Amino acid sequence: MQTEKLIESGRKVLMNTYNRYPLVLAKGKGTRVWDVDGREYLDFVTGFAVTSLGHGHPQVIKAMEEQLGCFVHTSNAFWLEKQIELARKLTEISFADKVFFCNSGAEANEAALKLGRKFARLHGGESKTRIVSLNNSFHGRTFGALTATGQRKYQKDFEPLVPGFDYVDNNDGEALRSVINENTAAVILEPIQGEGGVYPVSSAFMKLTRELCDAFGALLIFDEIQCGLGRTGHLFAYEMGDVVPDIMTLAKALGNGIPIGAMLATDQVADAFQPGDHASTFGGNPLVTAAGCAVLDVMTAPGFLEEVRVKGAYLKSALQKLADERWDNAPVRGEGLMLGVTVGDTAPGIVEACRKRGLLINCVGGTVLRFLPPLTVSWEELDEAIEVIHNHGL
């Protein structure tokens, strides 16, 4: 079989930085992928919320083909039409006035942290540098983003980390009050913690964070890299509450598989960045921004997000019924098509059983099943996945 041969070859030449599933994927279409031996799977992992429009979405493919016929890359020393168009689309549908483009979520968060610190120093002095993050968060693996990531298991072998960070537990208002002060430059949080196990930040905690940031002249940064761009059934997760950030980071679904990241900010905050402060060689090149424009066109079409919300509620209800029967009434967490449930040590076994029967899901933290189907998943595919989990969910 090709699978075993390719995996054996891969182990010889690829660094051992991933715990990979024992399959080699060869192609995808819509919600389905096929491995090199021709086996078919429903993809409810979507590259961890990346291929949110499914594999090979025709509108995205067409936009990239047209751009390939022009040119792929020049330099950010020049103005680029598709980059301007994507920035305009993002600002028109969000709170933000300005956009910085890069290549990934980690890079978007690095840009946000740098902007936050520079703005704070300009407006609050040299001592206003501290950044508050949440325990159990995940913001990336570069040094700044890694430091912001409130999980010791990712940090422990790479110290010393970037100085000036404080951490509090999600939804712990008293802890938050104790760390935010006149030296705080920014607070960064995910409205729904994705890699941490699909744990939402409560509306009350977000409101308190906004109030404390305003009181002490600190910026509020929302990391919507996984939970943004339609994943919750809203274009942006911040739209579910009454809290608007000063900075927001996006990536993953924005390119539907083409590497792109974006850092959005208000005019007042964005003005802190001047030429030379930050840059990205490939950031916002014509190909990735063409893809991003097509993605937003699909997601903002009438009825698209409403359907995501309805399908998300349907899947959540079905999973909750299973949880009530098998997983000690564990609550299913999340919004839209970003759902998680704690099932304990059986989680890896459930993932493996589902994989063998044609459904790809994953677990985080060894105990939480996470479901991230494409936003374009059909009702029939939802029922197919629910049946697999029901019959083989251990």
Side-chain angles (χ1 to χ4, degrees), residues 107-120:
E107 291 176 59
N109 282 335
E110 290 285 344
L113 296 172
K114 286 181 67 176
L115 179 60
R117 275 199 170 159
K118 185 174 184 193
F119 179 88

Side-chain angles (χ1 to χ4, degrees), residues 247-284:
I247 299 173
M248 178 173 64
T249 55
L250 303 171
K252 290 188 181 292
L254 185 56
N256 204 55
I258 305 301
I260 186 172
M263 186 265 291
L264 289 68
T266 62
D267 268 332
Q268 181 188 15
V269 175
D271 284 348
F273 264 180
Q274 295 299 310
D277 283 339
H278 201 56
S280 174
T281 297
F282 298 102

Side-chain angles (χ1 to χ4, degrees), residues 182-368:
E182 63 277 0
N183 293 324
T184 303
V187 178
I188 182 170
L189 60 82
E190 306 156 90
I192 300 178
Q193 294 182 331
E195 295 302 313
V198 195
Y199 287 97
V201 175
S202 72
S203 176
F205 187 82
M206 281 197 275
K207 288 179 181 178
L208 176 62
T209 306
R210 179 74 272 177
E211 291 170 5
L212 291 171
C213 284
D214 291 343
F216 288 99
L219 299 179
L220 179 55
I221 304 169
F222 276 5
D223 175 345
E224 295 214 13
I225 289 161
Q226 186 170 136
C227 65
L229 293 167
R231 181 52 56 181
T232 64
H234 301 268
L235 201 56
F236 305 111
Y238 79 81
E239 295 175 318
M240 294 187 294
D242 298 322
V243 177
V244 178
D246 303 293
I247 299 173
M248 178 173 64
T249 55
L250 303 171
K252 290 188 181 292
L254 185 56
N256 204 55
I258 305 301
I260 186 172
M263 186 265 291
L264 289 68
T266 62
D267 268 332
Q268 181 188 15
V269 175
D271 284 348
F273 264 180
Q274 295 299 310
D277 283 339
H278 201 56
S280 174
T281 297
F282 298 102
N285 78 30
L287 182 65
V288 300
T289 49
C293 287
V295 167
L296 291 184
D297 287 344
V298 174
M299 289 188 177
T300 56
F304 182 88
L305 293 172
E306 181 182 359
E307 188 168 314
V308 173
R309 293 194 292 272
V310 174
K311 288 178 177 176
Y314 179 77
L315 178 59
K316 190 173 188 177
S317 176
L319 292 174
Q320 189 61 66
K321 183 178 179 181
L322 259 178
D324 294 342
E325 295 172 356
R326 302 185 186 180
W327 302 322
D328 299 324
N329 300 300
V332 179
R333 303 181 298 274
E335 296 290 337
L337 291 171
M338 180 181 183
L339 302 173
V341 57
T342 300
V343 301
D345 294 339
T346 62
I350 294 172
V351 170
E352 178 66 6
C354 289
R355 182 185 66 81
K356 289 180 177 178
R357 291 160 179 85
L359 172 65
L360 302 182
I361 58 175
N362 84 308
C363 71
V364 287
T367 62
V368 177

Side-chain angles (χ1 to χ4, degrees), residues 127-186:
S127 64
K128 196 171 183 63
T129 61
R130 300 201 69 83
I131 295 170
V132 178
S133 179
L134 301 188
N135 289 319
N136 203 45
S137 60
F138 186 88
H139 298 290
R141 299 177 189 270
T142 51
F143 266 105
L146 178 66
T147 307
T149 293
Q151 298 192 55
R152 283 291 299 157
K153 66 181 180 181
Y154 295 120
Q155 299 174 338
K156 61 184 179 63
D157 293 325
F158 303 102
E159 294 168 321
L161 300 174
V162 177
F165 281 73
D166 300 298
Y167 307 91
V168 298
D169 286 343
N170 183 14
N171 296 325
D172 188 339
E174 289 306 308
L176 188 68
R177 291 180 188 275
S178 72
V179 298
I180 296 183
N181 55 44
E182 63 277 0
N183 293 324
T184 303

